[in-house]
Amino acid sequence: MNRFAVLFQSLDGTTSSTARTLALAAYLREAPEPDRLWTIALLTGRRPRRVITAGKLAEWAAEAAGIPDWLFAESYSVAGDLAETIAAILPPAETTTNRSLSDWIATLRALSAQDEPARRAGILAAWAGLDATERFLFNKLLTGGFRMGVARGLMQRALAQATGLDEATLAHRLMGDWSPDTTTFAALITGDGAQASRPYPFCLAHPLDADPDALGDPTDWLAEWKWDGIRGQLVCRDGRVFLWSRGEELVTDRYPEIVAAAQALPEGTVLDGEILGWAGAPLPFATLQRRIGLKTVSRRTLAEVPVIFMAYDLLEADSTDLRPQPFATRRAALEALATDLPPELPLSPLARFDDWATLAAHRQAARDRGAEGVMLKQRTSPYHAGRKRGDWWKWKLDPFSLDAVLIYAQAGHGRRAGLYTDFTFALWDGPALVPVAKAYSGLTDAEFAEITRWVRAHTTDRFGPVRQVVPELVFELGFEGIAESPRHKSGLALRFPRMLRWRRDKPAAEADRIETARALLAHPAPRAYL
Amino acid sequence: MARTKAASVDVKCSIRAPLPKLSAPCKACSTGPPPARRYDQVMARNPVLHLTERGLYCPAGDFFIDPWRPVPRALITHGHSDHARTGHGAYLATHAALPVMRHRLGPITAEGICYAETRRIGGAIVSFHPAGHVPGSAQIRVQVAGEVWVVSGDYKTGGDAISTPFEPVPCDTFITECTFGLPVFRWQPEAAVMAEINRWWAENRAAGRISLIGAYAFGKAQRLLAGLDPGIGSILTHGAVEATNAVLRAQGLALPETRQVTIEVSAKTHPGALVIAPPAALAGPWARRFGPAATAFASGWMALRGHRRRYGVDRGFVLSDHADWAGLNAAVVATGATRVLATHGYTAAFARWLEGRGLQAGVLETAFGQTEDETAE
Ligand SMILES: [Zn+2]
Ligand SMILES: [Zn+2]
């Protein structure tokens, strides 16, 4: 744990990504192999099974520190992180041990099989033998949520430095359904322990902020609609079908209609595409959302929210990796494949254009089709691993916006602990304000600090951690879509709401009315076009 | 323009309407702290000190302690701006506190007093006692008809190289700050932190980088100076820090050689140097002359990762001029006080905690310090 704690400190102790990459690369060269593997797993979001609930941990820590529960709660609300709070309040360690990371994980595993008193004893004994940083990390193992600010790209760079392999290869090897229980460092990274289910790293587009003129000759490019669903990858290998979401979650069981349709795909095929709610035309994202959390889908939901997999790209055919080939070639192969597929696996249609003005018109009309804008792909581009500038662009429509009144505020966590950053906004409905959206991004730290002071001085009521404030401040909210939603008091659901700016110039009385938001709904309904 | 007024309300300089002092419940255990009592609920009939719109007032002696609005007669614990404000008729502070106060406040009518020297003011006997916070900082003891109250000002119980060490003063009522009055705050010994800072500086120097460290101009900056190893390289200072250095050096405080950053100074002229500047200067254009420097901040708030990350510095060194949780508790016990009033920090939680330990405790809403979580001390 000591070596892992030192790694954590060097990652946490600098904001320079070069220094962080170096530190991680050094660790990945030198640490024992099982620790390396666990570190990669933890930093890419794979964690051991939860041994104990957060509530129990808090209770035991407060007891061990000799403080009442309410004081623990106060401390937690200030520190904003459970693992950190526990590490800080416990009395300093009596002894120190130097056991490896994987050794500690094995201990946790063993604990999870035992009864509660034994788990309690095991955890208290662990706390007593770890210094503050190790304790914090141990608590993170217990509570999950290991981020350490190591993005996937940084992990790949560090691994590339440590192993001499190239980043794209590593990006691919880190994908998919592996755990330190089912593989070894050698098999995962340097050998070829590929599983049938393993997806490819998604190729991501950069937003296009300026006019597309700068992209040169329009005939070098192909355009498609940018659909508002869940980006996914459909993998057919070994006679089985695997559906991955972009968050690298295996969602095969949630979309049986797609899996059934995928039986029509030949062995050794991988498609990139979009999981979309579809009833002759795209359903709003809010509707698709009803299926996102469902592990098993009822007949009724299947009927109400049917989904399709709109195919964008062909990454593998006949068990051959097509990613290095030009997009135009892959697209032609995809078109040939798509001719015999069931309707649940449609081909993403091209938005044809000969000049940029035509493309701009397509983009303007995107909302009529239920799309968010257009995607531009260079004909010659390979399927990159990750976000690479230059070959793929997303050109979205300008967001909707509304001026709304701040009515509730809640403190953030982590970096934003102690700052009020999570806000609820309302619009006027007659003389009343009805909540329409929650948003917590889009302002600067200085603005959040200023609003935090304001919130403290203008609180009118408290509901747990939520403060109700004097309805005075107005913010311009941007959002990508709006749909009817019986679950919300306002009857509306905004998609990706965020704060565009603080309207210091606007009194609350001049904020928008709910009718204005409803009018955005009245936008021509998406029509079928296939 | 109601908009502008609301948005720029200055919490620090106004007495807030008493808001409910309940704090947010914890997601983990969903219990909120029981509300702490306000000071008037635990106050005796004729208190030695009581709260007015202008600050803490002693009727028997007709004086104020660290008032935040102009008053005829002010007793000042120390020179930080939330305690020593302009506009009072007459000031009384320790001899050691006066030079910095004069430097910051300009011409004032002020009188000095030694630590432990007693003085009668009207019906009150007052004396000043070391608080260990910054050079010259004091707790103020006020005795009226056999009843003793002590106002802690800001204090720390762990020693440093520049301030007279904290001494507990026995009293009946102790008005204590509690900037870090939660059990998550636990300091390491100063020597260990200074060793870390020196190591950080040496590493940066070896890597050919300037080390930029944010520290308040009065107190923290000199404490750092006293603990830095001048053998590592040259030490540069921001003008605000250097001006305070000059005042304290003139008082006889020994500090290592420093060079004020001027237009000619850059990473080229002083490679590998360590630069001490007020936190605000680190983020601004002033710091750009040093190129891609390693940045750090020295403050008790750096004990929390959230604060450190929000500050956007590479390193956070946990070095505070206030007492940590253990220090606060030890100080309270050492006074033998039966009544404790908490101010300046996590007041509700600290008061409630003390009440749980059998003391009469309450919250005193003053204008000292910052709101609970700003990165300031
Ligand atoms: Zn102070
Ligand atoms: Zn203060």
Side-chain angles (χ1 to χ4, degrees):
Chain A
M1 195 75 146
N2 199 274
R3 195 196 285 264
F4 186 60
V6 170
L7 168 69
F8 167 74
Q9 275 173 326
S10 32
L11 292 176
D12 201 45
T14 175
T15 48
S16 143
S17 67
T18 318
R20 294 159 61 90
T21 310
L22 278 174
L24 185 55
Y27 178 90
L28 291 171
R29 263 191 295 266
E30 293 152 15
E33 282 207 1
D35 281 16
R36 285 185 223 173
L37 187 63
W38 264 112
T39 299
I40 296 170
L42 293 170
L43 297 185
T44 53
R46 294 165 174 86
R47 52 187 163 86
R49 266 229 337 263
R50 217 165 229 260
V51 175
I52 195 73
T53 63
K56 281 277 172 237
L57 271 187
E59 187 187 313
W60 298 343
E63 239 173 79
I67 62 169
D69 286 349
W70 68 262
L71 185 55
F72 182 90
E74 272 296 270
S75 302
Y76 174 54
S77 81
V78 166
D81 181 288
L82 185 66
E84 184 182 354
T85 309
I86 294 174
I89 60 155
L90 291 170
E94 297 145 19
T95 52
T96 51
T97 47
N98 192 10
R99 296 168 50 197
S100 70
L101 173 64
S102 27
D103 198 21
W104 275 113
I105 289 168
T107 304
L108 288 185
R109 290 268 168 93
L111 281 180
S112 69
Q114 293 176 27
D115 62 3
E116 197 179 291
R119 275 184 274 176
R120 180 175 179 278
I123 287 167
L124 288 176
W127 282 338
L130 294 169
D131 75 20
T133 307
E134 292 173 325
R135 233 182 229 165
F136 169 73
L137 295 170
F138 178 75
N139 293 341
K140 283 283 179 198
L141 289 177
L142 287 169
T143 57
F146 239 103
R147 295 246 43 107
M148 285 198 199
V150 174
R152 194 51 85 87
L154 197 143
M155 169 58 78
Q156 287 155 13
R157 269 197 303 286
L159 256 180
Q161 283 180 17
T163 59
L165 294 165
D166 76 85
E167 280 179 45
T169 307
L170 288 164
H172 185 200
R173 290 185 179 164
L174 291 183
M175 299 286 289
D177 187 22
W178 61 272
S179 100
D181 297 324
T182 55
T183 186
T184 63
F185 182 78
L188 181 75
I189 300 302
T190 50
D192 193 12
Q195 320 88 354
S197 67
R198 182 187 274 172
Y200 292 104
F202 284 88
C203 179
L204 305 173
H206 270 276
L208 187 67
D209 299 323
D211 275 354
D213 300 27
L215 299 179
D217 188 346
T219 60
D220 291 345
W221 296 82
L222 290 171
E224 296 164 78
W225 305 105
K226 184 173 183 333
W227 302 107
D228 188 14
I230 306 161
R231 184 84 180 276
Q233 223 176 97
L234 193 55
V235 178
C236 305
R237 292 188 195 120
D238 287 3
R240 296 172 64 194
V241 173
F242 307 91
L243 182 59
W244 292 93
S245 72
R246 214 201 99 188
E248 260 188 81
E249 204 184 346
L250 201 50
V251 294
T252 319
D253 299 340
R254 301 184 194 180
Y255 305 100
E257 58 266 68
I258 294 175
V259 175
Q263 305 303 326
L265 289 168
E267 167 68 17
T269 304
V270 179
L271 294 178
D272 174 14
E274 191 95 10
I275 302 167
L276 264 182
W278 192 269
L283 297 169
F285 186 80
T287 310
L288 175 62
Q289 230 164 358
R290 287 174 48 198
R291 287 195 55 176
I292 289 178
L294 297 178
K295 295 240 156 122
T296 50
V297 200
S298 71
R299 218 172 263 276
R300 198 174 140 212
T301 314
L302 273 176
E304 282 173 6
V305 193
V307 298
I308 58 162
F309 186 86
M310 176 87 80
Y312 291 144
D313 211 328
L314 181 61
L315 310 186
E316 184 176 309
D318 286 334
S319 304
T320 307
D321 184 354
L322 300 185
R323 294 177 301 153
Q325 301 199 12
F327 174 61
T329 311
R330 296 197 308 275
R331 171 81 198 184
L334 179 66
E335 283 172 3
L337 174 71
T339 50
D340 312 316
L341 292 180
E344 289 83 4
L345 291 180
L347 173 71
S348 156
L350 291 177
R352 296 185 194 280
F353 67 103
D354 297 317
D355 50 58
W356 295 121
T358 309
L359 183 69
H362 281 322
R363 169 175 171 264
Q364 281 311 326
R367 232 164 237 155
D368 299 345
R369 296 178 169 264
E372 306 181 276
V374 290
M375 291 289 302
L376 267 170
K377 297 174 183 173
Q378 181 120 35
R379 284 177 186 270
T380 54
S381 80
Y383 190 89
H384 294 290
R387 205 182 291 277
K388 195 162 169 298
R389 218 178 166 78
D391 280 348
W392 283 27
W393 298 98
K394 51 182 173 192
W395 195 24
K396 298 202 341 182
L397 281 168
D398 291 331
F400 294 107
S401 78
L402 285 168
D403 289 333
V405 184
L406 172 67
I407 54 168
Y408 300 118
Q410 188 171 355
H413 276 85
R415 198 176 79 84
R416 296 158 134 200
L419 276 184
Y420 282 87
T421 57
D422 299 6
F423 303 140
T424 303
F425 293 98
L427 297 177
W428 292 107
D429 186 2
L433 281 164
V434 290
V436 289
K438 285 187 173 182
Y440 45 86
S441 64
L443 299 181
T444 63
D445 282 3
E447 284 172 322
F448 278 128
E450 188 178 347
I451 293 167
T452 295
R453 284 193 295 276
W454 184 89
V455 165
R456 287 182 200 290
H458 295 81
T459 300
T460 54
D461 207 348
R462 298 195 190 197
F463 312 95
V466 177
R467 288 178 182 232
Q468 183 180 329
V469 296
V470 182
E472 268 183 14
L473 303 191
V474 177
F475 293 80
E476 182 180 340
L477 300 184
F479 49 99
E480 300 301 324
I482 183 166
E484 287 196 80
S485 163
R487 289 187 304 160
H488 293 83
K489 221 190 233 174
S490 61
L492 296 171
L494 305 190
R495 171 107 163 105
F496 290 139
R498 70 247 178 221
M499 290 165 269
L500 296 179
R501 65 197 167 109
W502 183 353
R503 294 294 306 259
R504 293 173 194 259
D505 56 319
K506 239 188 193 188
E510 289 174 25
D512 280 315
R513 314 193 56 79
I514 195 84
E515 295 81 30
T516 315
R518 292 226 174 87
L520 297 175
L521 275 177
H523 209 271
R527 58 185 154 78
Y529 63 92
L530 279 179
Chain B
M1 292 256 302
R3 198 95 317 269
T4 332
K5 187 180 138 256
S8 63
V9 77
D10 186 349
V11 176
K12 191 172 151 191
C13 294
S14 62
I15 300 184
R16 282 170 287 170
L19 291 173
K21 286 297 281 183
L22 268 170
S23 288
C26 162
K27 281 184 190 138
C29 34
S30 67
T31 57
R37 296 197 236 173
R38 279 208 328 274
Y39 88 104
D40 44 353
Q41 296 170 284
V42 295
M43 213 41 113
R45 196 76 57 78
N46 291 309
V48 169
L49 295 164
H50 69 84
L51 200 58
T52 72
E53 289 228 317
R54 292 185 285 177
L56 265 182
Y57 178 65
C58 173
D62 190 23
F63 60 81
F64 288 81
I65 296 178
D66 292 351
W68 45 86
R69 303 245 177 96
V71 301
R73 184 172 186 116
L75 276 57
I76 304 294
T77 58
H78 67 290
H80 277 148
S81 55
D82 52 331
H83 299 262
R85 297 178 192 244
T86 53
H88 306 313
Y91 292 78
L92 178 65
T94 65
H95 291 296
L98 280 180
V100 167
M101 282 171 56
R102 290 190 200 278
H103 165 68
R104 300 189 143 199
L105 302 178
I108 51 171
T109 307
E111 201 185 335
I113 185 168
C114 294
Y115 284 126
E117 175 188 340
T118 56
R119 182 166 303 199
R120 175 169 284 282
I121 305 177
I125 298 168
V126 302
S127 52
F128 288 57
H129 303 268
H133 173 58
V134 289
S137 68
Q139 312 173 69
I140 298 178
R141 179 185 186 273
V142 182
Q143 180 178 347
V144 175
E147 189 177 346
V148 178
W149 287 44
V150 168
V151 178
S152 76
D154 293 342
Y155 67 96
K156 74 166 173 291
T157 51
D160 68 26
I162 58 168
S163 316
T164 314
F166 174 87
E167 284 172 19
V169 182
C171 57
D172 303 302
T173 297
F174 186 40
I175 297 180
T176 180
E177 66 125 321
C178 54
T179 309
F180 293 107
L182 285 177
V184 284
F185 298 106
R186 187 196 315 272
W187 311 150
Q188 299 299 314
E190 188 187 50
V193 181
M194 284 313 308
E196 251 182 83
I197 297 175
N198 281 319
R199 198 175 330 123
W200 171 75
W201 179 17
E203 280 169 14
N204 294 333
R205 191 185 159 84
R209 266 196 313 261
I210 294 271
S211 303
L212 272 174
I213 187 161
Y216 293 95
F218 170 41
K220 192 68 61 64
Q222 291 74 32
R223 199 174 158 197
L224 283 175
L225 280 172
L228 286 172
D229 175 2
I232 298 173
S234 35
I235 303 172
L236 308 176
T237 52
H238 183 275
V241 172
E242 198 51 37
T244 311
N245 287 351
V247 174
L248 292 169
R249 279 186 179 120
Q251 274 176 264
L253 186 68
L255 296 173
E257 193 188 319
T258 52
R259 165 112 162 68
Q260 186 178 335
V261 173
T262 53
I263 197 93
E264 307 88 65
V265 172
S266 71
K268 284 213 177 67
T269 60
H270 294 77
L274 179 135
V275 186
I276 303 180
L282 282 197
W286 181 85
R288 271 181 223 139
R289 74 190 75 204
F290 299 110
T295 55
F297 186 43
S299 159
W301 294 110
M302 296 299 105
L304 299 181
R305 281 183 82 222
H307 281 273
R308 204 160 68 228
R309 282 150 69 201
R310 189 187 311 156
Y311 226 79
V313 288
D314 294 324
R315 284 293 291 269
F317 295 109
V318 187
L319 191 71
S320 177
D321 291 336
H322 295 263
D324 65 359
W325 173 253
L328 290 170
N329 278 284
V332 166
V333 171
T335 61
T338 52
R339 188 199 287 127
V340 180
L341 301 175
T343 179
H344 201 310
Y346 295 105
T347 49
F350 193 52
R352 183 68 203 178
W353 161 255
L354 293 175
E355 207 164 56
R357 317 203 83 193
L359 293 170
Q360 216 188 334
V363 168
L364 197 63
E365 284 271 0
T366 60
F368 306 137
Q370 311 278 333
T371 50
E372 59 201 48
D373 48 18
E374 275 171 61
T375 312
E377 290 191 12

